[in-house]
Amino acid sequence: MNIRIVAGGPEEGLPDLKAIAAMEDRQLWCGADRGALVLAERGIEMEAAFGDFDSVTEEEMDTIRQFAKEVYPYPAKKDESDLELAVEWAYGLNPDKITIYGATGGRMDHAMANMMLLASEEHLKQPVKTELVDNQNEISFYEPGVYTIHEQEKRYVSFLPISKEISGMTLTGFLYPLTNDTLIRGRTRSISNQLNSPTGTFSFTSGILMMIRSTD
């Protein structure tokens, strides 16, 4: 099951949510604050909506209630962001995958906080793939291991250290391969790589790594 969460980022950065909702895979939708309104306006039914909803009017709130099975209101003064509340709820359902939309673009503090949320050790230990997606990028985070990726429309692949360094970085099936190399945070060595075969693998032995797959 794929749980798809929509946060309140700029709508121009969103992919076609209605087309995604029409896909035949098992999926549940969830809205975080104004992201719930985005779903409701597209006629997409939500399993849940979370937030303080300080960015919607009462009339818009009524629209959200029409499309959300459950609405979980929270006070504006709270320790967690609306998106974090939605992600924690999603983990409790033991999905195969969590895809988050509307979490990048717009305010940089929100975008960075959303990325750091998924890069934290607490969230990395969850046994489910979680990624941030907009119409130009897919962002995901990894602990040490061996991973396989496949060729797709977003052809640029960048690897960025979240920790101070990444040790034992090895890339196979890439235009610019690496073998047991070290990536240092703050340097741009592994930006804008590309696959040169239908599949590629990346592996590393220590650190926390962010992968960004992008298109122009």
Side-chain angles (χ1 to χ4, degrees):
M1 176 178 62
N2 189 349
I3 294 182
R4 304 184 188 276
I5 301 173
V6 179
E11 292 190 43
E12 59 266 24
L14 294 173
D16 187 341
L17 300 179
K18 291 186 70 173
I20 295 170
M23 295 168 58
E24 294 183 357
D25 61 337
R26 293 179 59 233
Q27 55 182 298
L28 293 177
W29 289 85
C30 173
D33 203 68
R34 193 167 182 84
L37 179 63
V38 170
L39 287 170
E41 289 178 337
R42 287 160 173 76
I44 299 173
E45 293 189 357
M46 293 162 271
E47 196 70 16
F50 291 83
D52 50 45
F53 301 107
D54 58 353
S55 61
V56 301
T57 66
E58 189 55 44
E59 183 179 357
E60 290 171 332
M61 196 68 225
D62 289 339
T63 302
I64 291 172
R65 293 189 184 98
Q66 291 177 32
F67 287 90
K69 290 184 180 179
E70 297 287 345
V71 176
Y72 298 93
Y74 285 81
K77 294 182 178 180
K78 56 187 184 300
D79 293 332
E80 304 87 358
S81 68
D82 300 323
L83 178 60
E84 185 173 1
L85 293 168
V87 169
E88 292 292 346
W89 167 84
Y91 284 141
L93 296 180
N94 298 313
D96 301 306
K97 184 178 180 180
I98 299 173
T99 307
I100 301 171
Y101 310 97
T104 55
R107 284 181 54 174
M108 185 59 70
D109 57 340
H110 287 179
M112 290 299 297
N114 294 336
M115 288 187 275
M116 293 302 100
L117 170 67
L118 300 190
S120 69
E121 292 184 7
E122 177 184 356
H123 290 279
L124 284 171
K125 71 182 180 182
Q126 297 289 339
V128 54
K129 180 181 180 182
T130 305
E131 61 183 10
L132 305 171
V133 176
D134 58 38
N135 57 13
Q136 192 169 4
N137 308 282
E138 294 177 359
I139 306 170
S140 49
F141 300 85
Y142 300 87
E143 290 186 301
V146 180
Y147 304 92
T148 299
I149 63 173
H150 302 277
E151 193 174 38
Q152 51 137 287
E153 180 185 0
K154 295 179 174 63
R155 62 193 179 103
Y156 298 111
V157 186
S158 296
F159 297 99
L160 297 170
I162 295 297
S163 52
K164 184 176 180 180
E165 65 179 35
I166 299 294
S167 300
M169 187 70 180
T170 298
L171 302 176
T172 60
F174 283 80
L175 183 61
Y176 306 108
L178 293 175
T179 301
N180 197 30
D181 213 326
T182 300
L183 302 183
I184 306 296
R185 187 176 62 203
R187 297 183 182 173
T188 58
R189 177 151 183 213
S190 54
I191 296 294
S192 294
N193 209 333
Q194 297 181 50
L195 291 173
N196 63 358
S197 61
T199 62
T201 63
F202 66 95
S203 62
F204 60 104
T205 56
S206 68
I208 297 175
L209 184 69
M210 175 168 62
M211 180 179 70
I212 304 177
R213 305 194 69 173
S214 304
T215 185
D216 286 323

